[in-house]
Amino acid sequence: MKKVFLSFCVLLLFVLLTSNAFGEDVFDPVKVIYLKNGEPIRCQIGVLEGTRAVCRNFGGSMSVPLRMIDLEKTFPKFKRREGETIILFHPGQVYRDENIILSNLRMVREDERGPTYDHPGSRSSSDIQPSHYVILFDVMNRGDSCEVSAIVALRDEQGNIIDQVDVLSESRVPAGDTAVLKKRLEFTKGNLENQIGSLKIGSVERKNVVAKSETESSRSTAKLTPAQLREGKIKTLTEIFLRERPQPEQQ
């Protein structure tokens, strides 16, 4: 019994530390998981794990598919965006090295809609377009400014790889900054929601790295006014002229 209790304490501590490290507590562990039909499931620790919500108790654990969970009621800080459905979520840290930290890996379904009309009910069925899937994760850059690229493996319930996608930042992530990387999936192998079990980060690369000294120099130059830049150029040309001017011969 002591070992079970200790395991729960270690798990809770790990989840809390991971959440606090990123300042992201939207999906912190809960005591009650609410189903969409209103039924509550009481837990010692309730967490999201991929496509399921897992309820852990001292006597054992049970899991419920994410599509059956009322996420907004279970996690009050979570605000669902219109037209977006969370299919899979790995909260907290999913990758870490000396320069890059990746967290909150998720897959969502976005419904594509046609133009918005002023009057409700004026949208015809032809205005509703097929939905698509998007992979997103947060990146924290602790190194020099760079682009970030990560391979994300889509796996089934048995852990077998279904597909792999390369997610690349649209621009450099500045040193000490955070960004959200996203990639729209081009999946043509049937219904993805019935196949997906988890996501896993593979190789992570830093590209087009800009050293801090170069970045600071670029920023300091960008802050100068046109008049200051012109004055600096004149000063430089004057110094070059004085250095290269012929010296008079001594008598």
Side-chain angles (χ1 to χ4, degrees), residues 22 50 88-97 100-107 134-140 148-155 159-161 163-169 179-183 185 196-206:
F22 291 92
L88 183 154
F89 200 101
H90 295 297
Q93 180 179 304
V94 292
Y95 175 87
R96 182 191 188 103
D97 62 26
I100 300 295
I101 299 177
L102 306 182
S103 62
N104 299 327
L105 177 61
R106 65 264 194 201
M107 184 177 79
V134 178
I135 288 179
L136 306 97
F137 55 83
D138 304 329
V139 56
M140 176 185 292
V148 179
S149 173
I151 301 294
V152 180
L154 285 64
R155 306 191 299 181
N160 301 313
I161 295 178
D163 201 357
Q164 297 188 90
V165 296
D166 187 3
V167 185
L168 175 66
S169 57
V180 177
L181 273 61
K182 61 185 298 185
K183 176 67 174 289
L185 299 179
I196 192 72
S198 63
L199 300 174
K200 184 175 178 60
I201 297 292
S203 61
V204 177
E205 293 184 55
R206 300 164 67 231

Side-chain angles (χ1 to χ4, degrees), residues 52-243:
R52 310 182 76 82
V54 179
C55 181
R56 293 190 172 89
N57 289 302
F58 291 116
S61 63
M62 64 173 293
S63 64
V64 183
L66 205 58
R67 62 178 179 272
M68 297 175 60
I69 304 300
D70 186 333
L71 289 175
E72 291 171 296
K73 189 174 182 180
T74 302
F75 303 96
K77 294 183 180 180
F78 168 66
K79 304 300 180 185
R80 185 179 65 86
R81 293 192 302 176
E82 184 178 357
E84 179 182 277
T85 302
I86 292 183
I87 303 302
L88 183 154
F89 200 101
H90 295 297
Q93 180 179 304
V94 292
Y95 175 87
R96 182 191 188 103
D97 62 26
E98 65 274 14
N99 296 302
I100 300 295
I101 299 177
L102 306 182
S103 62
N104 299 327
L105 177 61
R106 65 264 194 201
M107 184 177 79
V108 303
R109 183 180 70 239
E110 295 181 344
D111 297 326
E112 294 185 357
R113 300 182 181 276
T116 302
Y117 299 96
D118 295 333
H119 303 288
S122 60
R123 186 191 302 276
S124 67
S125 59
S126 61
D127 295 324
I128 307 299
Q129 304 298 325
S131 59
H132 61 265
Y133 300 99
V134 178
I135 288 179
L136 306 97
F137 55 83
D138 304 329
V139 56
M140 176 185 292
N141 182 14
R142 302 187 299 172
D144 293 328
S145 175
C146 64
E147 295 177 2
V148 179
S149 173
I151 301 294
V152 180
L154 285 64
R155 306 191 299 181
D156 60 20
E157 294 287 354
Q158 289 71 44
N160 301 313
I161 295 178
I162 303 172
D163 201 357
Q164 297 188 90
V165 296
D166 187 3
V167 185
L168 175 66
S169 57
E170 296 180 356
S171 59
R172 287 191 181 93
V173 181
D177 207 349
T178 59
V180 177
L181 273 61
K182 61 185 298 185
K183 176 67 174 289
R184 180 172 175 172
L185 299 179
E186 302 294 340
F187 191 80
T188 58
K189 303 175 184 177
N191 189 335
L192 182 57
E193 291 181 43
N194 293 335
Q195 302 180 51
I196 192 72
S198 63
L199 300 174
K200 184 175 178 60
I201 297 292
S203 61
V204 177
E205 293 184 55
R206 300 164 67 231
K207 302 179 179 180
N208 297 324
V209 180
V210 177
K212 186 177 180 180
S213 58
E214 296 179 41
T215 304
E216 290 177 346
S217 176
S218 176
R219 287 178 179 174
S220 61
T221 302
K223 292 179 182 178
L224 296 177
T225 65
Q228 290 172 322
L229 289 172
R230 184 169 60 254
E231 183 179 345
K233 290 180 179 179
I234 293 174
K235 183 178 179 181
T236 300
L237 291 173
T238 301
E239 291 175 350
I240 294 174
F241 171 75
L242 292 175
R243 283 199 308 267

